[in-house]
Amino acid sequence: MKPIEIKNGIYWVGAVDWSVKSFHGHTYTTQRGTTYNSYLIVDEKIALIDTVYSPFTEELIEKIRSIVPPEKIDYVIANHVERDHSGAMPALMKLCPKAKVYGTAKCKEGLYRNYYENWDFQIVKTGDSLKLGKKTLTFLEAPMIHWPDSMFTYCPEEKLLMPNDAFGQHYATSERYDDEVDQAELMDEAAKYYGNILWPLSSLILRKIEEVVNMKIPIDMIAPSHGIIWRKDPAKIINAYVSWAKNETKKKVVVIYETMWGSTEKMARKMVEGITSAGVDVKLVDMNQSDRTEVIKEMLTAKGYLIGSSTHDNDMLPSLAGFLEFLNGLKPKSRIAAAFGSYGWAGGAVANIEEMIKKAGIALAMPSISFKYLPDGDEMKKCYEFGKEFSAKL
Ligand code: FEO
């Protein structure tokens, strides 16, 4: 794939990673791959905004070389330390050793602790700017969106915001712009990205969006460091972020279970019938067969979660336990939940699920239900009513 001029004198020189299926140390499944976006600005001075993951270093350098010799790069702007954006820096900096690196104080520290190189580094703060010639770069610190070092770079002359990870998607495509791809796929990937990476940072994200709005800077393009570039409708992704960050939800229930011999599954399926009878949207998830990243995406917009497990060794089954541990880190706000499950003799899963629900900051909406071995006819009716009653509490 060749460089693409996204604005006058500003080129996408990133890489498309079609084959990656697992990201961030297996915390995120990337079924649609991803991209590592890097942007080259050619003016009187030449600046590169972020690099790419190290396996794609040669692709980056080739793209840059097709526009300018890499030796001519004056500035490398490091919006974020994480290796998917800085991995190519050591090789690139060997080609332009006099280039000055710009980033936050935390970025300077983080880059050093990753690569142990003494690059000429300029620490920047919110409001600092760098004149390239006709174009200017203005910096906006964005700590914990999503690392302490994170920063946005803005080019006022082009009304272009380069916010690194924010507004990204793990979405490999031959197209580069929002208006060229399937909208449902695009928003699906944007929601998955938000839910799995940014959800626990929602209050900071709301504040940052408010800060940008108050700065009254015109934005007609958002070029993140993953996925497609928002040129047709940047407001679409900003509004989606505001909604997700405010924890706005739909009347929707995600029923998540793990079952040993099918009894807990039977309960879950009957609950789904009860929820459906109440006219509420529902998704049923067998945790043992499901992709955790996708389940979190479903949970992002749902108000209610029903969580069930068979009891094994006085506890819930292990796939569900791992999932709830991950959910705990995401700390969903303004959600309700309840627990259910089947047991053989002593039980224990349901009480532990309730503990995990509370630990994640989710409100327990009603007492749990659990039945011995296979639920009988009356107990199945109770499962139906359980789903219906829970729906009424949404
Ligand atoms: Fe895409 Fe935080 O790295």
Side-chain angles (χ1 to χ4, degrees), residues 365-376:
M366 51 199 272
S368 64
I369 52 169
S370 54
F371 298 121
K372 195 164 192 169
Y373 291 120
L374 199 64
D376 64 19

Side-chain angles (χ1 to χ4, degrees), residues 192-206:
K192 200 196 304 182
Y193 188 98
Y194 189 95
N196 283 274
I197 298 176
L198 301 173
W199 200 355
L201 310 169
S202 289
S203 57
L204 292 171
I205 287 167
L206 267 182

